[in-house]
Amino acid sequence: MVSTRNLARLSGLLSITAQAHGAYTIQDSYDASNFFDNFEFFNGPDPTAGFVQYVDAATANSTGLAGYANDGIYLGVDYQTENPTAGRASVRLTTTKSYTRGLIIADIAHQPAPACGAWPAFWTFGPSWPNSGEIDIIEGVNLQTNTSITLHTAPGCSFSEDSFSSEDCGSPGDGTKGCGASTGNTQDYGAGFNEIGGGVYALQWTSDAIKVFFFPRTGTIPEDIEAGNPDPSNWGAPAASFSGGSCDINANFMNHNIVFDTTFCGQWAGKVWAEDPVCSAKASTCEEYVGANPADFQDTYWLINYVKVFGEDGAKRGIAKRFNA
Ligand SMILES: *[C@@H]1O[C@H](CO)[C@@H](O)[C@H](O)[C@H]1NC(C)=O
Ligand SMILES: *[C@@H]1O[C@H](CO)[C@@H](O)[C@H](O)[C@H]1NC(C)=O
């Protein structure tokens, strides 16, 4: 038992701690000085069945598909080869480290511009899909104009305070659809994002909530982010928030690697090809279009300034633990 007086002292201590250090402590910082030492090139067959050939580090380097550029990290695709038989060459980069809870902040200058057949994503996922969860932060296909923020889990995880719906994140029984929706904000994705020089995304993942924030470059990036001392309690409304309901976040989301990739066609861009009136008018299949039109993918590249991972503050967690005990 904690006496009332001690409780008051403890909560005083808590707020002092929060003021002095913010709620988060830097764990890893990935930028133009070390990115490729800490992200691995995945070069197996695309798990989403895309018309893509993910290349290894040496090939990406020698063909100019990935490298340090403009003080950031360039991750592009082959925009020169016509009708590549094994799929269009691209890269998929995954952190060597994995994370459970915390705050992931990414400053991104350019996203793959929307193009028929393209399917770029910035996301996190755990080792046993869908049981260890997936969080899609930036994702879209074909000519989509705003990001789709989606969670995927095993069945039995739904949020009552979901920004979009209260659908089970394990829907439709296997997690392939998940829960979430497009944000409706055309500055957070593709052409609208690139026009303003991009911005900063933040994923806040706690035991109680998963939130995604987006700050456009044009003036509203919180000072505490710029200062390296992020405090989400100052940030206002997130772009997406998932909390409440039946979902046990700690049981459904764990050990996530952070990923940037661009694939083509496959289980999403290809699957909805016929439903896109503009794209399907250009070619009868997604693969045919992507193969025949390399020049359409010149702007299909990521330019990342940094990715920073912060852990929940240790001291604060210790005090919270004592309260719960
Ligand atoms: C490939 O690696 C070399 C040596 O590290 C580097 O100088 C060069 O810039 C890299 N190429 C690209 C496209 O990043
Ligand atoms: C956001 O994207 C979805 C999916 O492509 C689309 O239906 C919707 O119209 C878009 N919203 C805006 C405001 O562009």
Side-chain angles (χ1 to χ4, degrees):
M1 262 319 263
V2 185
S3 75
T4 316
R5 208 182 62 197
N6 283 344
L7 226 162
R9 276 173 52 195
L10 273 174
S11 66
L13 228 164
L14 239 175
S15 61
I16 289 165
T17 305
Q19 272 167 16
H21 305 295
Y24 288 95
T25 307
I26 186 77
Q27 218 173 320
D28 291 297
S29 183
Y30 305 122
D31 58 23
S33 71
N34 65 357
F35 190 89
F36 293 109
D37 300 330
N38 296 287
F39 278 71
E40 286 172 347
F41 286 78
F42 168 88
N43 75 325
D46 179 11
T48 61
F51 181 65
V52 71
Q53 190 184 18
Y54 285 132
V55 300
D56 62 19
T59 309
N61 179 285
S62 65
T63 55
L65 255 56
Y68 296 122
N70 295 356
D71 297 325
I73 299 101
Y74 171 92
L75 306 176
V77 306
D78 171 9
Y79 56 85
Q80 289 169 326
T81 309
E82 263 182 48
N83 298 315
T85 48
R88 186 156 296 291
S90 178
V91 293
R92 170 169 159 152
L93 278 287
T94 307
T95 46
T96 54
K97 272 198 186 176
S98 65
Y99 303 95
T100 302
R101 296 185 296 277
L103 183 65
I104 297 173
I105 300 186
D107 185 318
I108 299 171
H110 188 279
Q111 292 176 16
C116 290
W119 173 6
F122 165 47
W123 53 297
T124 72
F125 78 118
S128 165
W129 197 93
N131 304 305
S132 36
E134 171 179 330
I135 304 171
D136 301 322
I137 303 164
I138 302 174
E139 189 178 24
V141 295
N142 299 324
L143 302 177
Q144 198 167 316
T145 54
N146 53 101
T147 186
S148 293
I149 299 176
T150 311
L151 308 182
H152 299 269
T153 62
C157 161
S158 61
F159 295 94
S160 56
E161 290 155 54
D162 172 339
S163 315
F164 311 114
S165 65
S166 301
E167 194 164 16
D168 195 321
C169 303
S171 76
D174 62 359
T176 52
K177 179 163 181 284
C179 60
S182 43
T183 58
N185 177 1
T186 55
Q187 284 196 331
D188 69 22
Y189 186 78
F193 180 92
N194 295 338
E195 260 166 36
I196 58 166
V200 173
Y201 268 89
L203 165 66
Q204 185 187 19
W205 168 6
T206 72
S207 299
D208 304 318
I210 290 173
K211 297 180 183 177
V212 173
F213 296 81
F214 171 63
F215 307 106
R217 181 88 52 211
T218 41
T220 63
I221 298 172
E223 266 172 41
D224 55 37
I225 289 184
E226 304 282 29
N229 188 23
D231 184 356
S233 68
N234 294 332
W235 294 350
S241 176
F242 303 84
S243 64
S246 73
C247 192
D248 180 343
I249 290 178
N250 289 345
N252 282 285
F253 296 87
M254 64 200 81
N255 303 324
H256 281 203
N257 294 96
I258 304 168
V259 189
F260 287 91
D261 71 62
T262 302
T263 185
F264 298 97
C265 306
Q267 288 166 1
W268 189 8
K271 195 176 163 199
V272 301
W273 183 260
E275 293 159 32
D276 186 310
V278 179
C279 295
S280 62
K282 293 174 188 249
S284 61
T285 69
C286 184
E287 289 77 6
E288 185 189 327
Y289 184 80
V290 169
N293 294 279
D296 215 16
F297 304 108
Q298 188 151 0
D299 285 332
T300 306
Y301 67 88
W302 295 96
L303 188 60
I304 301 153
N305 289 326
Y306 67 73
V307 177
K308 292 180 184 173
V309 183
F310 295 82
E312 288 172 326
D313 185 72
K316 193 178 168 186
R317 233 183 12 235
I319 290 170
K321 240 190 197 149
R322 265 188 278 152
F323 273 133
N324 292 338

